[in-house]
């Protein structure tokens, strides 16, 4: 009996030892499997990170978001909020819309208009007086860039008010920025004009040249010399455009029923205010402010429609800006076009390189390339 007890005890001990050994091997096997799986997962993540840096950024952003949603992560939550705001702001800039989620900074939908502009003119007759009225056209030749010389030549040749079409018939134009040279192939009777035609001819010539950024014009005879008589005027030297035109300062609207188009006459010929209280030519902001109204019973009107309020205007380093609001219930698209065309012409009188017109009501910004672009 004692022998059987010892044998039974030995079997029990052996069984326990075998069980412990089996459990240890199983645990070691599971640990090894877990370690191998963890290493493989880590290598896979690292490989993905190296292959795609953008996925890594997204992963980090998701991690920040999760941390920001925790009770203890107030700082992380703030960072996440800023990230969402930036993303929404970028979306607004692309779509041209703005909403409250974009943050405190107002976002404008921006557009840059066709840089190819042409200046057209029309003679307006009023009370036995004649005026040159201007318009600016950006719809012509919109598919390709046209050189400033070609645009100036087109504007001058297409808008010559002389009966014999002096420029288009007898002149060659050469542009050496900002100087224009007009060489005539004929001289004498072919270049004659009446007194009225002479005034309109030169007002158109120098007005269009000025609005294209030209500073001086030299008229040449067929031999290439400066001595020439054209439309009752004799020239021996270059003509400074600004001195010829005088201070124009501002443009006012005239509707042409035949053309069904609004044209613009400069303030100088209309005897509108062109100097400030100091007797100096008005600055660009003073000019824009003056364009808001006209006085008396006149045939022209302000280009600033009722319902448009000008908030600010400036010109710095050749870049002009005008900021305004409008009554959406009363101001039409045609009113906006008239206003923005008049602003472009006013900025061109200052030889601005471009003008940005900002509509605070619609949160829209339009940039119009001007002189030299």
């Amino acid at each position: 009996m004692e022998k059987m007890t010892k044998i039974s005890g030995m079997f029990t001990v052996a069984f326990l030892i075998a069980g412990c050994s089996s459990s240890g091997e199983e645990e070691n096997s599971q640990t090894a499997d877990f370690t191998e799986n963890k290493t493989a997962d880590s290598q896979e993540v690292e490989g993905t990170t190296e292959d795609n840096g953008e996925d890594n950024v997204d992963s980090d952003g998701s991690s920040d978001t999760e941390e920001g949603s925790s009770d203890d992560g107030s700082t992380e939550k703030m960072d996440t909020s800023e990230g969402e705001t930036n993303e929404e702001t970028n979306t607004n800039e692309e779509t041209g819309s703005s909403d409250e989620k974009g943050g405190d900074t107002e976002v404008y939908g921006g557009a840059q208009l066709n840089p190819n502009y042409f200046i057209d003119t029309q003679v307006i007759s009023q009370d036995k007086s004649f005026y040159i009225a201007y318009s600016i056209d950006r719809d012509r030749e919109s598919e390709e860039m046209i050189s400033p010389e070609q645009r100036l030549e087109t504007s001058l040749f297409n808008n010559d008010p002389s009966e014999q079409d002096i420029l288009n018939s007898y002149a060659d134009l050469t542009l050496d920025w900002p100087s224009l040279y007009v060489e005539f192939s004929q001289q004498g009777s072919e270049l004659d004009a009446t007194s009225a035609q002479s005034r309109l001819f030169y007002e158109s010539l120098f007005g269009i040249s000025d609005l294209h950024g030209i500073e001086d014009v030299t008229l040449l005879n067929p031999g290439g010399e400066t001595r020439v008589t054209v439309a009752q005027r004799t020239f021996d030297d270059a003509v400074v455009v600004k001195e010829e035109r005088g201070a124009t300062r501002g443009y006012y609207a005239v509707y042409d029923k035949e053309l069904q188009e609004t044209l613009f006459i400069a303030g100088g010929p209309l005897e509108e205010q062109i100097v400030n209280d100091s007797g100096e030519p008005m600055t660009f902001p003073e000019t824009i402010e003056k364009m808001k109204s006209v006085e008396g019973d006149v045939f022209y009107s302000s280009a600033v429609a009722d319902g448009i309020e000008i908030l600010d205007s400036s010109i710095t380093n050749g870049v002009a800006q005008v900021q305004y609001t409008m009554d959406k219930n009363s101001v039409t698209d045609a009113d906006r076009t008239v206003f923005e065309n008049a602003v472009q012409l006013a900025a061109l009188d200052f030889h601005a390189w471009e003008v940005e017109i900002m509509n605070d009501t619609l949160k829209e910004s339009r940039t119009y390339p001007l002189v030299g672009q």
Side-chain angles (χ1 to χ4, degrees), residues 47-48 72 88 103 114 122 136 138 180 199 214 233 243 249 254 256 293 296 299 302 305 312 322 343 371:
T48 304
D72 297 331
E88 290 161 1
N114 176 20
Q122 189 75 16
I136 184 166
R138 291 183 184 271
L180 172 65
R199 183 180 69 82
I214 300 301
R233 287 185 60 177
E243 293 179 359
R249 295 302 188 265
V254 178
D256 189 299
S293 62
F299 67 92
S302 169
D312 189 33
V322 175
V343 169
V371 173

Side-chain angles (χ1 to χ4, degrees), residues 251-253 264 291 301-305 308 335 338-340 342:
Y251 286 81
Y252 300 85
F264 304 90
M291 286 169 54
S301 63
S302 169
V304 185
I308 291 179
D335 292 332
V338 168
F339 169 66
E340 296 190 4

Side-chain angles (χ1 to χ4, degrees), residues 61 65 80 135 192 276 287 305 314 331:
T65 304
T80 302
S135 64
D192 286 345
N276 56 28
T287 298
S314 63
V331 177

Side-chain angles (χ1 to χ4, degrees), residues 56-237:
N56 187 37
V57 172
D58 293 340
S59 176
D60 292 341
S62 301
S63 176
D64 290 342
T65 304
E66 293 174 1
E67 291 177 6
S69 63
S70 64
D71 294 337
D72 297 331
S74 58
T75 302
E76 288 81 358
K77 186 175 184 179
M78 183 181 298
D79 292 340
T80 302
S81 175
E82 291 175 356
E84 291 172 352
T85 301
N86 290 336
E87 182 178 354
E88 290 161 1
T89 301
N90 292 336
T91 301
N92 292 337
E93 289 175 344
E94 292 173 0
T95 60
S97 62
S98 175
D99 53 39
E100 295 179 356
K101 294 181 180 180
D104 296 334
T105 302
E106 295 180 334
V107 178
Y108 283 78
Q112 179 158 317
L113 280 294
N114 176 20
N116 296 324
Y117 74 87
F118 298 83
I119 301 297
D120 293 319
T121 62
Q122 189 75 16
V123 177
I124 302 295
S125 175
Q126 285 289 327
D127 299 330
K128 297 182 180 180
S129 297
F130 297 94
Y131 301 89
I132 291 292
Y134 299 91
S135 64
I136 184 166
D137 180 9
R138 291 183 184 271
D139 295 332
R140 211 181 309 167
E141 305 291 349
S142 60
E143 298 299 324
E144 60 179 337
M145 287 295 296
I146 308 299
S147 70
E149 182 174 13
Q150 289 176 296
R151 289 189 283 111
L152 173 59
E153 182 176 288
T154 299
S155 297
L156 287 174
F157 285 178
N158 289 351
N159 296 281
D160 185 345
S162 63
E163 286 185 0
Q164 63 271 51
D165 203 13
I166 293 176
L167 290 179
N168 198 19
S169 300
Y170 304 109
D172 291 322
L173 306 185
T174 303
L175 180 61
D176 184 11
W177 190 270
S179 300
L180 172 65
Y181 295 87
V182 183
E183 184 171 356
F184 293 92
S185 59
Q186 300 289 333
Q187 58 183 350
S189 60
E190 289 85 358
L191 307 183
D192 286 345
T194 65
S195 297
Q197 285 185 356
S198 176
R199 183 180 69 82
L200 294 173
F201 173 79
Y202 284 110
E203 187 173 340
S204 179
L205 170 62
F206 294 123
I208 290 175
S209 297
D210 190 25
L211 294 172
H212 277 277
I214 300 301
E215 295 181 4
D216 56 82
V217 178
T218 301
L219 280 69
L220 304 171
N221 63 30
E225 299 170 340
T226 56
R227 180 74 178 181
V228 63
T229 299
V230 180
Q232 295 188 331
R233 287 185 60 177
T234 300
F235 297 88
D236 292 307
D237 205 351

